[in-house]
């Protein structure tokens, strides 16, 4: 029973990590879409 809970916990942790990574990637992409045109405008 504990093995089942451990595997479920690992899967939950992995899913949470993936969600966090996706959020970071989206945030970086949004920042990039704001920063890159500003750099081009500066150049």
């Amino acid at each position: 029973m504990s093995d089942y809970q451990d595997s479920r916990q690992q899967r939950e942790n992995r899913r949470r990590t993936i969600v966090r990574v996706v959020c970071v990637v989206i945030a970086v992409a949004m920042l990039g879409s704001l920063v890159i045109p500003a750099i081009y405008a500066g150049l």
Side-chain angles (χ1 to χ4, degrees), residues 16-31:
R16 201 166 290 143
T17 302
I18 290 172
V19 167
R20 192 176 300 143
V21 168
V22 168
C23 287
V24 168
V25 167
I26 291 172
V28 168
M30 288 177 67
L31 277 174

Side-chain angles (χ1 to χ4, degrees), residues 32-43:
S33 68
L34 291 175
V35 169
I36 290 170
I39 291 173
Y40 276 122
L43 292 174

